[in-house]
Amino acid sequence: MFIIIHSLVTSVSLTALESQNTTTQHFVTDFVLLGFPGQGEMQNVFFSFILVVYLLTLLGNGVIVCVVKWDKRLHTPMYIFLGNFAFLEIWYSSSTVPNMLVNMLSETKTISFTGCFLQFYFFFSLGTTECFFLSVMAYDRYLAICRPLHYPSIMTGKLCVVLVCVCWVSGFLCYPVPIVLISQLPFCGPNIIDHFVCDPGPLFTLACIPAPSTELICYTFNSLIIFGPFLSILGSYTLVLRAVLRVPSGAGRTKAFSTCGSHLMVVSLFYGTLMVMYVSPTSGTPTGMQKIITLVYSAVTPLLNPLIYSLRNKDMKDALKKALGLRTNQN
């Protein structure tokens, strides 16, 4: 009897140890980001294109930051917001593109578990900060056009600094909860993400157990962060449009539309791709299309923003010409 009991205990102990070893063996410590399809020449084409886009993004937004800092005529709330926005775009693009380029050259294409969630955090936090800045910039244009006499007394330097700080701080405070919730899910394999960034959708797919409550919290969070600022922007520009249409002078209407046109183009580019990706159902969307959409708002949009603002804004063009002229004279 003792021998039988001893055998059963030994068998149970071995099974438990084997189960523990299996769990430990299959616990994911890193992820594989497949990136873009293709090999050899195709990967070289993708690498060259994305590298050029990234370098131009750094150059274009860096120029705006420097011009706003150096030209005292641009030390107004509108351009302070624009300078911060350009600085934000540099880091927003840098949160994904360098790792994407490294992955294209890597054979393993792996990213550590911690690295994946750090990228997730910074990418989404910076994207959230961008939403808040676009909303604040729309409010600034509303005050300038709809309440021009009260604008200097409302949009003071102190309020401008407060709004800038609120955008940066609140953007980075929004996503710790979703990040922690998703990171606590069990990932026991496979560990392959058919994307070039750590996105919540593929991460939920890789989790060993379904997590409907966590998914609901995260998607509700995304919707609030996207639609909150968007509705604020929509409200501001609805009031701006009403005010502009009441302007009797055609030249006045043209000037007002020109002032807001660049901002509206940026909002359309950013929110258009963002809503397609995170608001509309993506279950039926091909993975390749999801990658292209993500590439547009994470890499291409930060490149286009400085071009839109500098080419459509007279003050910015004059400041750029002045900066180039000073350098030419110095040379």
Side-chain angles (χ1 to χ4, degrees):
M1 187 70 177
F2 175 80
I3 295 173
I4 295 173
I5 293 173
H6 183 268
S7 300
L8 287 172
V9 170
T10 305
S11 177
V12 169
S13 300
L14 289 172
T15 305
L17 285 171
E18 185 177 344
S19 176
Q20 185 178 354
N21 291 336
T22 303
T23 304
T24 304
Q25 184 181 355
H26 288 285
F27 182 74
V28 170
T29 57
D30 53 32
F31 295 99
V32 177
L33 295 172
L34 291 183
F36 292 97
Q39 295 179 349
E41 292 185 3
M42 184 61 69
Q43 286 292 316
N44 291 335
V45 169
F46 279 128
F47 180 86
S48 302
F49 170 73
I50 294 170
L51 178 61
V52 169
V53 167
Y54 179 59
L55 293 176
L56 290 176
T57 298
L58 297 182
L59 177 63
N61 286 287
V63 166
I64 287 182
V65 171
C66 292
V67 168
V68 171
K69 181 177 175 58
W70 291 336
D71 197 321
K72 293 183 179 180
R73 295 176 302 171
L74 302 182
H75 291 181
T76 61
M78 175 181 172
Y79 293 105
I80 290 172
F81 292 140
L82 177 57
N84 275 271
F85 188 75
F87 183 71
L88 168 66
E89 292 289 57
I90 291 173
W91 290 106
Y92 181 59
S93 181
S94 298
S95 66
T96 56
V97 175
N99 185 71
M100 190 193 315
L101 294 172
V102 170
N103 260 15
M104 288 181 180
L105 300 178
S106 171
E107 294 182 1
T108 58
K109 300 184 182 298
T110 58
I111 183 171
S112 68
F113 186 90
T114 303
C116 180
F117 279 93
L118 279 174
Q119 185 192 68
F120 181 2
Y121 172 70
F122 282 106
F123 183 51
F124 276 77
S125 295
L126 290 165
T128 302
T129 306
E130 182 161 344
C131 291
F132 293 156
F133 262 111
L134 289 172
S135 179
V136 166
M137 291 165 76
Y139 175 66
D140 176 69
R141 291 302 83 206
Y142 155 73
L143 289 177
I145 293 173
C146 298
R147 305 184 65 183
L149 299 179
H150 298 91
Y151 180 77
S153 60
I154 297 174
M155 189 56 73
T156 60
K158 183 178 179 180
L159 179 60
C160 179
V161 171
V162 168
L163 289 174
V164 167
C165 292
V166 167
C167 287
W168 280 105
V169 174
S170 57
F172 279 85
L173 289 178
C174 284
Y175 267 94
V177 172
I179 295 289
V180 170
L181 288 175
I182 297 175
S183 65
Q184 295 304 308
L185 295 175
F187 296 94
C188 31
N191 65 338
I192 297 174
I193 298 176
D194 192 6
H195 214 309
F196 56 82
V197 294
C198 289
D199 200 64
L203 288 172
F204 278 125
T205 305
L206 293 181
C208 300
I209 58 172
S213 57
T214 304
E215 287 191 48
L216 179 62
I217 291 171
C218 291
Y219 287 123
T220 303
F221 223 78
N222 286 341
S223 298
L224 289 174
I225 288 172
I226 291 172
F227 280 111
F230 179 72
L231 292 175
S232 170
I233 294 168
L234 200 61
S236 295
Y237 277 106
T238 300
L239 295 174
V240 167
L241 184 61
R242 285 178 58 190
V244 168
L245 292 177
R246 291 175 183 171
V247 176
S249 166
R253 284 197 298 270
T254 303
K255 184 179 179 181
F257 276 124
S258 176
T259 304
C260 301
S262 55
H263 186 213
L264 285 172
M265 287 179 69
V266 171
V267 170
S268 301
L269 275 171
F270 183 70
Y271 270 98
T273 51
L274 207 63
M275 287 183 176
V276 168
M277 192 65 191
Y278 293 106
V279 178
S280 63
T282 56
S283 57
T285 308
T287 306
M289 183 58 66
Q290 292 183 29
K291 292 178 185 179
I292 292 172
I293 294 170
T294 305
L295 183 65
V296 169
Y297 72 75
S298 64
V300 178
T301 302
L303 166 67
L304 296 178
N305 288 349
L307 295 176
I308 293 170
Y309 279 116
S310 59
L311 293 177
R312 292 183 58 86
N313 190 292
K314 184 178 182 299
D315 292 335
M316 185 60 68
K317 285 191 288 187
D318 291 342
L320 285 170
K321 289 176 183 177
K322 181 183 176 183
L324 292 173
L326 284 172
R327 289 189 176 185
T328 302
N329 293 335
Q330 289 173 356
N331 292 335

